[in-house]
Amino acid sequence: MNYLRRRLSDSSFVANLPNGYMMDFQRPSGSSSSTSSPASPATERRQQPAQPAQPQAPPAASGSFLSSFSSVVKTAQIASAVQAKAAAHGEAASAVAPTASPAAPAKPAVRKPKVLLVIDDAHTDWAKYFRGRKLNGEYEIRVEQAEFSEINLAANVNVGCTVDIQVTRGGTKVVRSFKPDFILIRQHAFSMTPGEDFRSFVIGLQYGGVASINSLHSIYNFCSKPWVFSHMIKLYHTLGPEKFPLNEQTFFPNYTQMLPTPVFPVVVKMGHAHAGMGKIKVENPNDFQDITSVVALAKTYATAEPFVDSKYDIRIQKIGNNYKAYMRTSISGNWKANTGSAMLEQIAMTDRYRLWVDSCAEMFGGLDICAVKAVHGKDGKDYIIEVMDSSMPLIGEHVEEDRQLITDLVLNKMAFALLGVTSPQLSSVKTQPIPQTAQPRRAQGGPRSASGSPSQSTHGSPQRARSATTSPSQAFQPGPIPASGSAGASQKQAPLLNKSQSLTNTFTETLRSNPTDDEAKAETIRSLRQSFASLFSD
């Protein structure tokens, strides 16, 4: 205590204290130390840490100072704790943000494009027909195109179907793997040619539950022509020979049952073939026996049907709700109209033809794309010989239009199968005017007679617009319809009409607008057509 008193009595120590610091120590109190020398408060300041709990006035002032200092320290500690918790919460929020926050703004971009697998050769680039098209305006379409020989696949009950394609583009081998959402099949799944049996791929796609055009069920059924013909026999018995004139055919499961038919010549078809392959014309029983030995070596089934001396072939195709009819006349004189030079022309779509193709389109659960082939004999009768599925070749001058129709059909079927949308989508193809006259090309290897407008042939051929080519796949660009004042009402309705409808309507309107000139042209065309028909019909 004496030491403290001596320190507090030091005037230099008290002088160094801040102004007003000793105000609290000069309050009256009961302690004897308050009456001590004026320098005592300085000593009491040194005594604050040592005696904070004594009831004397100087210790009380020291406790007030420490409490103020401790409160500041506690406030700082609380603030630091709050900041630490806020920082921890911010780190947790930043860790969750990458998975939660982008979901709302990126919702439109999350939609993955739908994958369309097109099985076709490289001559047709189907990607350009689907470029810019979307399913229901939401999903883009990614087109993967390859042939059956370029793909491989694996199918699982839960995973579905995974396809691997190996294609060569520009000399570079490209390998891709993907899961198709829809399939367009434009290639035959089976042929008697070695290495062209792809029925296992059709089974794998069906195993994966992938929707397609035509249906995989129908594609597999079309891998056997006699099997398809057996379903045509049912239509023959249901509709009758007048409405559905099916050609007679005899089926032989193997060569041992092949007995000569009572009528010759006949056409023998061996196994499952396309494009006129595997078909032989047999003139007599001796030749029939020779063909029997060939069938024995082939180890396959065969069919025989009476040969029809034809004037022309007829093909009626159906793409969705679009119909077209074509007539093909051989110029080279071959009994196969698809061999050598031939003249192809579009003809009027009649109710009779429509019944044929609509009836065949109901087979195997429905065919979205199909065609019926028939032969018009010199006896004036028609004979249905075959029906084709979605692998049918596109012919005539409207090949591009047919591809656009297939594109629209695929979009509608994809929207229904993947999104459940049934409303038809508008086609991006602009409706082109139906040509008034068809300017044909000269066929190579034979004479050619052109006709500007259709007329009824004196030999009973249907009304048609002539366009002859060496190959049915060649096409020309027709000219536009000339403007006419009296045809203004019909031109307003032109976008509602389909190009596949009969060309008769357009020609009829033209004849009404200018009857004098067209009658003169028609008379000239009739004489030319009679000369040409008499030259090649016999």
Side-chain angles (χ1 to χ4, degrees), residues 229-259:
F229 198 90
S230 66
H231 288 75
M232 298 173 66
I233 295 176
K234 295 181 180 179
L235 297 176
Y236 172 78
H237 292 301
T238 302
L239 299 176
E242 295 296 329
K243 294 183 178 180
F244 197 81
L246 185 65
N247 192 22
E248 294 184 13
Q249 190 178 91
T250 304
F251 175 76
F252 305 104
N254 51 63
Y255 76 98
T256 59
Q257 303 296 328
M258 294 183 64
L259 301 176

mmCIF file of all heavy atoms in Angstrom, residues 229-259:
data_model
loop_
_atom_site.group_PDB
_atom_site.id
_atom_site.type_symbol
_atom_site.label_atom_id
_atom_site.label_comp_id
_atom_site.label_asym_id
_atom_site.label_seq_id
_atom_site.Cartn_x
_atom_site.Cartn_y
_atom_site.Cartn_z
ATOM 1 N N PHE A 229 -47.764 -61.770 -100.697
ATOM 2 C CA PHE A 229 -48.757 -62.145 -101.706
ATOM 3 C C PHE A 229 -49.900 -62.941 -101.090
ATOM 4 O O PHE A 229 -51.051 -62.843 -101.542
ATOM 5 C CB PHE A 229 -48.083 -62.959 -102.813
ATOM 6 C CG PHE A 229 -48.880 -63.038 -104.085
ATOM 7 C CD1 PHE A 229 -48.711 -62.078 -105.074
ATOM 8 C CD2 PHE A 229 -49.792 -64.054 -104.294
ATOM 9 C CE1 PHE A 229 -49.447 -62.137 -106.240
ATOM 10 C CE2 PHE A 229 -50.528 -64.130 -105.460
ATOM 11 C CZ PHE A 229 -50.359 -63.161 -106.438
ATOM 12 N N SER A 230 -49.600 -63.717 -100.052
ATOM 13 C CA SER A 230 -50.668 -64.476 -99.398
ATOM 14 C C SER A 230 -51.696 -63.545 -98.747
ATOM 15 O O SER A 230 -52.890 -63.872 -98.695
ATOM 16 C CB SER A 230 -50.077 -65.422 -98.354
ATOM 17 O OG SER A 230 -49.475 -64.681 -97.290
ATOM 18 N N HIS A 231 -51.254 -62.383 -98.261
ATOM 19 C CA HIS A 231 -52.200 -61.410 -97.714
ATOM 20 C C HIS A 231 -52.966 -60.703 -98.821
ATOM 21 O O HIS A 231 -54.115 -60.276 -98.614
ATOM 22 C CB HIS A 231 -51.459 -60.401 -96.849
ATOM 23 C CG HIS A 231 -50.985 -60.958 -95.546
ATOM 24 N ND1 HIS A 231 -49.902 -61.808 -95.440
ATOM 25 C CD2 HIS A 231 -51.445 -60.796 -94.268
ATOM 26 C CE1 HIS A 231 -49.719 -62.149 -94.180
ATOM 27 N NE2 HIS A 231 -50.630 -61.549 -93.454
ATOM 28 N N MET A 232 -52.356 -60.591 -99.994
ATOM 29 C CA MET A 232 -53.090 -60.043 -101.133
ATOM 30 C C MET A 232 -54.166 -61.010 -101.612
ATOM 31 O O MET A 232 -55.209 -60.580 -102.139
ATOM 32 C CB MET A 232 -52.113 -59.722 -102.267
ATOM 33 C CG MET A 232 -51.078 -58.659 -101.899
ATOM 34 S SD MET A 232 -49.803 -58.447 -103.167
ATOM 35 C CE MET A 232 -50.776 -57.783 -104.499
ATOM 36 N N ILE A 233 -53.921 -62.279 -101.416
ATOM 37 C CA ILE A 233 -54.954 -63.270 -101.769
ATOM 38 C C ILE A 233 -56.195 -63.074 -100.905
ATOM 39 O O ILE A 233 -57.337 -63.226 -101.379
ATOM 40 C CB ILE A 233 -54.386 -64.688 -101.636
ATOM 41 C CG1 ILE A 233 -53.270 -64.915 -102.661
ATOM 42 C CG2 ILE A 233 -55.478 -65.740 -101.818
ATOM 43 C CD1 ILE A 233 -52.573 -66.255 -102.536
ATOM 44 N N LYS A 234 -55.997 -62.738 -99.639
ATOM 45 C CA LYS A 234 -57.150 -62.461 -98.772
ATOM 46 C C LYS A 234 -57.957 -61.282 -99.293
ATOM 47 O O LYS A 234 -59.190 -61.305 -99.272
ATOM 48 C CB LYS A 234 -56.666 -62.202 -97.351
ATOM 49 C CG LYS A 234 -56.003 -63.395 -96.678
ATOM 50 C CD LYS A 234 -55.565 -63.053 -95.260
ATOM 51 C CE LYS A 234 -54.902 -64.239 -94.585
ATOM 52 N NZ LYS A 234 -54.449 -63.917 -93.199
ATOM 53 N N LEU A 235 -57.268 -60.242 -99.742
ATOM 54 C CA LEU A 235 -57.991 -59.103 -100.321
ATOM 55 C C LEU A 235 -58.712 -59.503 -101.605
ATOM 56 O O LEU A 235 -59.809 -59.004 -101.887
ATOM 57 C CB LEU A 235 -57.001 -57.964 -100.616
ATOM 58 C CG LEU A 235 -56.286 -57.351 -99.408
ATOM 59 C CD1 LEU A 235 -55.272 -56.305 -99.870
ATOM 60 C CD2 LEU A 235 -57.296 -56.722 -98.460
ATOM 61 N N TYR A 236 -58.088 -60.387 -102.366
ATOM 62 C CA TYR A 236 -58.719 -60.866 -103.604
ATOM 63 C C TYR A 236 -60.036 -61.585 -103.313
ATOM 64 O O TYR A 236 -61.049 -61.370 -103.997
ATOM 65 C CB TYR A 236 -57.744 -61.772 -104.340
ATOM 66 C CG TYR A 236 -58.325 -62.499 -105.529
ATOM 67 C CD1 TYR A 236 -58.506 -61.853 -106.735
ATOM 68 C CD2 TYR A 236 -58.663 -63.853 -105.434
ATOM 69 C CE1 TYR A 236 -59.028 -62.523 -107.832
ATOM 70 C CE2 TYR A 236 -59.171 -64.540 -106.522
ATOM 71 C CZ TYR A 236 -59.361 -63.863 -107.712
ATOM 72 O OH TYR A 236 -59.884 -64.522 -108.798
ATOM 73 N N HIS A 237 -60.035 -62.416 -102.286
ATOM 74 C CA HIS A 237 -61.268 -63.131 -101.938
ATOM 75 C C HIS A 237 -62.283 -62.207 -101.258
ATOM 76 O O HIS A 237 -63.492 -62.442 -101.359
ATOM 77 C CB HIS A 237 -60.950 -64.306 -101.023
ATOM 78 C CG HIS A 237 -60.180 -65.408 -101.696
ATOM 79 N ND1 HIS A 237 -60.646 -66.080 -102.803
ATOM 80 C CD2 HIS A 237 -58.957 -65.950 -101.417
ATOM 81 C CE1 HIS A 237 -59.768 -67.000 -103.184
ATOM 82 N NE2 HIS A 237 -58.721 -66.938 -102.357
ATOM 83 N N THR A 238 -61.820 -61.187 -100.573
ATOM 84 C CA THR A 238 -62.739 -60.273 -99.890
ATOM 85 C C THR A 238 -63.400 -59.296 -100.854
ATOM 86 O O THR A 238 -64.626 -59.104 -100.824
ATOM 87 C CB THR A 238 -61.994 -59.490 -98.793
ATOM 88 O OG1 THR A 238 -61.411 -60.408 -97.871
ATOM 89 C CG2 THR A 238 -62.947 -58.556 -98.050
ATOM 90 N N LEU A 239 -62.603 -58.693 -101.737
ATOM 91 C CA LEU A 239 -63.138 -57.675 -102.652
ATOM 92 C C LEU A 239 -63.665 -58.266 -103.952
ATOM 93 O O LEU A 239 -64.517 -57.647 -104.594
ATOM 94 C CB LEU A 239 -62.034 -56.645 -102.965
ATOM 95 C CG LEU A 239 -61.475 -55.878 -101.758
ATOM 96 C CD1 LEU A 239 -60.332 -54.965 -102.199
ATOM 97 C CD2 LEU A 239 -62.569 -55.075 -101.074
ATOM 98 N N GLY A 240 -63.143 -59.403 -104.337
ATOM 99 C CA GLY A 240 -63.581 -60.005 -105.587
ATOM 100 C C GLY A 240 -62.634 -59.678 -106.728
ATOM 101 O O GLY A 240 -61.891 -58.696 -106.685
ATOM 102 N N PRO A 241 -62.662 -60.483 -107.789
ATOM 103 C CA PRO A 241 -61.736 -60.268 -108.923
ATOM 104 C C PRO A 241 -62.020 -58.999 -109.703
ATOM 105 O O PRO A 241 -61.124 -58.480 -110.375
ATOM 106 C CB PRO A 241 -61.949 -61.516 -109.781
ATOM 107 C CG PRO A 241 -63.316 -62.005 -109.421
ATOM 108 C CD PRO A 241 -63.512 -61.660 -107.988
ATOM 109 N N GLU A 242 -63.225 -58.466 -109.646
ATOM 110 C CA GLU A 242 -63.518 -57.248 -110.389
ATOM 111 C C GLU A 242 -62.885 -56.023 -109.740
ATOM 112 O O GLU A 242 -62.343 -55.154 -110.421
ATOM 113 C CB GLU A 242 -65.041 -57.064 -110.495
ATOM 114 C CG GLU A 242 -65.750 -58.139 -111.306
ATOM 115 C CD GLU A 242 -65.306 -58.132 -112.769
ATOM 116 O OE1 GLU A 242 -64.960 -57.041 -113.272
ATOM 117 O OE2 GLU A 242 -65.308 -59.203 -113.394
ATOM 118 N N LYS A 243 -62.952 -55.945 -108.422
ATOM 119 C CA LYS A 243 -62.406 -54.789 -107.720
ATOM 120 C C LYS A 243 -60.921 -54.947 -107.427
ATOM 121 O O LYS A 243 -60.207 -53.946 -107.335
ATOM 122 C CB LYS A 243 -63.166 -54.569 -106.408
ATOM 123 C CG LYS A 243 -64.621 -54.173 -106.596
ATOM 124 C CD LYS A 243 -65.284 -53.902 -105.248
ATOM 125 C CE LYS A 243 -66.724 -53.460 -105.422
ATOM 126 N NZ LYS A 243 -67.366 -53.198 -104.101
ATOM 127 N N PHE A 244 -60.473 -56.173 -107.260
ATOM 128 C CA PHE A 244 -59.063 -56.416 -106.940
ATOM 129 C C PHE A 244 -58.556 -57.536 -107.842
ATOM 130 O O PHE A 244 -58.460 -58.699 -107.445
ATOM 131 C CB PHE A 244 -58.923 -56.805 -105.466
ATOM 132 C CG PHE A 244 -57.531 -56.678 -104.926
ATOM 133 C CD1 PHE A 244 -57.035 -55.443 -104.521
ATOM 134 C CD2 PHE A 244 -56.697 -57.786 -104.814
ATOM 135 C CE1 PHE A 244 -55.755 -55.319 -104.017
ATOM 136 C CE2 PHE A 244 -55.413 -57.672 -104.310
ATOM 137 C CZ PHE A 244 -54.941 -56.430 -103.910
ATOM 138 N N PRO A 245 -58.187 -57.209 -109.089
ATOM 139 C CA PRO A 245 -57.794 -58.239 -110.071
ATOM 140 C C PRO A 245 -56.377 -58.748 -109.831
ATOM 141 O O PRO A 245 -55.409 -58.328 -110.486
ATOM 142 C CB PRO A 245 -57.918 -57.494 -111.401
ATOM 143 C CG PRO A 245 -57.651 -56.071 -111.063
ATOM 144 C CD PRO A 245 -58.193 -55.851 -109.680
ATOM 145 N N LEU A 246 -56.235 -59.675 -108.927
ATOM 146 C CA LEU A 246 -54.928 -60.225 -108.599
ATOM 147 C C LEU A 246 -54.525 -61.283 -109.616
ATOM 148 O O LEU A 246 -55.331 -62.136 -110.006
ATOM 149 C CB LEU A 246 -54.966 -60.836 -107.196
ATOM 150 C CG LEU A 246 -53.647 -61.349 -106.628
ATOM 151 C CD1 LEU A 246 -52.660 -60.209 -106.428
ATOM 152 C CD2 LEU A 246 -53.892 -62.084 -105.318
ATOM 153 N N ASN A 247 -53.281 -61.233 -110.032
ATOM 154 C CA ASN A 247 -52.782 -62.212 -110.986
ATOM 155 C C ASN A 247 -52.635 -63.576 -110.308
ATOM 156 O O ASN A 247 -52.263 -63.668 -109.133
ATOM 157 C CB ASN A 247 -51.431 -61.762 -111.536
ATOM 158 C CG ASN A 247 -50.997 -62.585 -112.739
ATOM 159 O OD1 ASN A 247 -51.819 -63.194 -113.421
ATOM 160 N ND2 ASN A 247 -49.698 -62.586 -113.013
ATOM 161 N N GLU A 248 -52.906 -64.630 -111.042
ATOM 162 C CA GLU A 248 -52.772 -65.975 -110.486
ATOM 163 C C GLU A 248 -51.301 -66.297 -110.221
ATOM 164 O O GLU A 248 -50.419 -65.865 -110.947
ATOM 165 C CB GLU A 248 -53.356 -67.006 -111.452
ATOM 166 C CG GLU A 248 -54.855 -66.886 -111.651
ATOM 167 C CD GLU A 248 -55.385 -67.994 -112.539
ATOM 168 O OE1 GLU A 248 -54.623 -68.958 -112.780
ATOM 169 O OE2 GLU A 248 -56.537 -67.898 -112.988
ATOM 170 N N GLN A 249 -51.085 -67.065 -109.167
ATOM 171 C CA GLN A 249 -49.708 -67.420 -108.804
ATOM 172 C C GLN A 249 -49.708 -68.759 -108.084
ATOM 173 O O GLN A 249 -50.611 -69.049 -107.289
ATOM 174 C CB GLN A 249 -49.081 -66.334 -107.922
ATOM 175 C CG GLN A 249 -47.588 -66.506 -107.702
ATOM 176 C CD GLN A 249 -47.002 -65.376 -106.873
ATOM 177 O OE1 GLN A 249 -46.936 -65.471 -105.650
ATOM 178 N NE2 GLN A 249 -46.581 -64.302 -107.536
ATOM 179 N N THR A 250 -48.685 -69.552 -108.355
ATOM 180 C CA THR A 250 -48.518 -70.854 -107.722
ATOM 181 C C THR A 250 -47.223 -70.843 -106.911
ATOM 182 O O THR A 250 -46.180 -70.413 -107.417
ATOM 183 C CB THR A 250 -48.466 -71.980 -108.770
ATOM 184 O OG1 THR A 250 -49.643 -71.919 -109.582
ATOM 185 C CG2 THR A 250 -48.396 -73.337 -108.094
ATOM 186 N N PHE A 251 -47.307 -71.327 -105.687
ATOM 187 C CA PHE A 251 -46.161 -71.323 -104.786
ATOM 188 C C PHE A 251 -45.595 -72.730 -104.659
ATOM 189 O O PHE A 251 -46.327 -73.705 -104.465
ATOM 190 C CB PHE A 251 -46.575 -70.805 -103.407
ATOM 191 C CG PHE A 251 -45.480 -70.869 -102.379
ATOM 192 C CD1 PHE A 251 -44.440 -69.946 -102.382
ATOM 193 C CD2 PHE A 251 -45.473 -71.872 -101.419
ATOM 194 C CE1 PHE A 251 -43.428 -70.009 -101.448
ATOM 195 C CE2 PHE A 251 -44.465 -71.938 -100.472
ATOM 196 C CZ PHE A 251 -43.436 -71.008 -100.487
ATOM 197 N N PHE A 252 -44.252 -72.841 -104.761
ATOM 198 C CA PHE A 252 -43.546 -74.109 -104.598
ATOM 199 C C PHE A 252 -42.539 -73.944 -103.460
ATOM 200 O O PHE A 252 -41.599 -73.136 -103.577
ATOM 201 C CB PHE A 252 -42.806 -74.499 -105.885
ATOM 202 C CG PHE A 252 -43.684 -74.556 -107.106
ATOM 203 C CD1 PHE A 252 -43.655 -73.544 -108.045
ATOM 204 C CD2 PHE A 252 -44.552 -75.623 -107.304
ATOM 205 C CE1 PHE A 252 -44.456 -73.596 -109.163
ATOM 206 C CE2 PHE A 252 -45.366 -75.681 -108.428
ATOM 207 C CZ PHE A 252 -45.324 -74.669 -109.364
ATOM 208 N N PRO A 253 -42.686 -74.671 -102.355
ATOM 209 C CA PRO A 253 -41.751 -74.523 -101.229
ATOM 210 C C PRO A 253 -40.344 -74.971 -101.565
ATOM 211 O O PRO A 253 -39.374 -74.470 -100.992
ATOM 212 C CB PRO A 253 -42.371 -75.376 -100.121
ATOM 213 C CG PRO A 253 -43.240 -76.351 -100.837
ATOM 214 C CD PRO A 253 -43.745 -75.658 -102.059
ATOM 215 N N ASN A 254 -40.182 -75.894 -102.512
ATOM 216 C CA ASN A 254 -38.858 -76.331 -102.952
ATOM 217 C C ASN A 254 -38.988 -76.891 -104.362
ATOM 218 O O ASN A 254 -40.083 -76.965 -104.928
ATOM 219 C CB ASN A 254 -38.257 -77.371 -101.994
ATOM 220 C CG ASN A 254 -39.224 -78.512 -101.705
ATOM 221 O OD1 ASN A 254 -39.612 -79.263 -102.615
ATOM 222 N ND2 ASN A 254 -39.643 -78.640 -100.451
ATOM 223 N N TYR A 255 -37.870 -77.276 -104.930
ATOM 224 C CA TYR A 255 -37.862 -77.681 -106.338
ATOM 225 C C TYR A 255 -38.576 -79.006 -106.573
ATOM 226 O O TYR A 255 -39.021 -79.288 -107.698
ATOM 227 C CB TYR A 255 -36.423 -77.770 -106.841
ATOM 228 C CG TYR A 255 -35.689 -79.007 -106.370
ATOM 229 C CD1 TYR A 255 -35.564 -80.138 -107.184
ATOM 230 C CD2 TYR A 255 -35.113 -79.067 -105.097
ATOM 231 C CE1 TYR A 255 -34.892 -81.267 -106.748
ATOM 232 C CE2 TYR A 255 -34.445 -80.185 -104.660
ATOM 233 C CZ TYR A 255 -34.333 -81.282 -105.490
ATOM 234 O OH TYR A 255 -33.677 -82.401 -105.054
ATOM 235 N N THR A 256 -38.711 -79.857 -105.543
ATOM 236 C CA THR A 256 -39.317 -81.178 -105.753
ATOM 237 C C THR A 256 -40.789 -81.084 -106.114
ATOM 238 O O THR A 256 -41.333 -82.016 -106.722
ATOM 239 C CB THR A 256 -39.148 -82.031 -104.486
ATOM 240 O OG1 THR A 256 -39.784 -81.373 -103.377
ATOM 241 C CG2 THR A 256 -37.665 -82.234 -104.181
ATOM 242 N N GLN A 257 -41.447 -79.994 -105.755
ATOM 243 C CA GLN A 257 -42.873 -79.843 -106.036
ATOM 244 C C GLN A 257 -43.158 -79.066 -107.305
ATOM 245 O O GLN A 257 -44.314 -78.796 -107.622
ATOM 246 C CB GLN A 257 -43.549 -79.137 -104.854
ATOM 247 C CG GLN A 257 -43.366 -79.826 -103.519
ATOM 248 C CD GLN A 257 -44.011 -81.196 -103.499
ATOM 249 O OE1 GLN A 257 -45.025 -81.429 -104.149
ATOM 250 N NE2 GLN A 257 -43.412 -82.122 -102.761
ATOM 251 N N MET A 258 -42.111 -78.671 -108.025
ATOM 252 C CA MET A 258 -42.297 -77.846 -109.220
ATOM 253 C C MET A 258 -42.678 -78.719 -110.414
ATOM 254 O O MET A 258 -41.818 -79.317 -111.072
ATOM 255 C CB MET A 258 -41.033 -77.041 -109.521
ATOM 256 C CG MET A 258 -40.704 -76.001 -108.477
ATOM 257 S SD MET A 258 -39.245 -75.001 -108.903
ATOM 258 C CE MET A 258 -39.841 -74.175 -110.386
ATOM 259 N N LEU A 259 -43.956 -78.761 -110.666
ATOM 260 C CA LEU A 259 -44.483 -79.484 -111.816
ATOM 261 C C LEU A 259 -44.878 -78.492 -112.889
ATOM 262 O O LEU A 259 -45.323 -77.381 -112.594
ATOM 263 C CB LEU A 259 -45.687 -80.338 -111.415
ATOM 264 C CG LEU A 259 -45.430 -81.383 -110.328
ATOM 265 C CD1 LEU A 259 -46.733 -82.093 -109.966
ATOM 266 C CD2 LEU A 259 -44.376 -82.388 -110.779
#
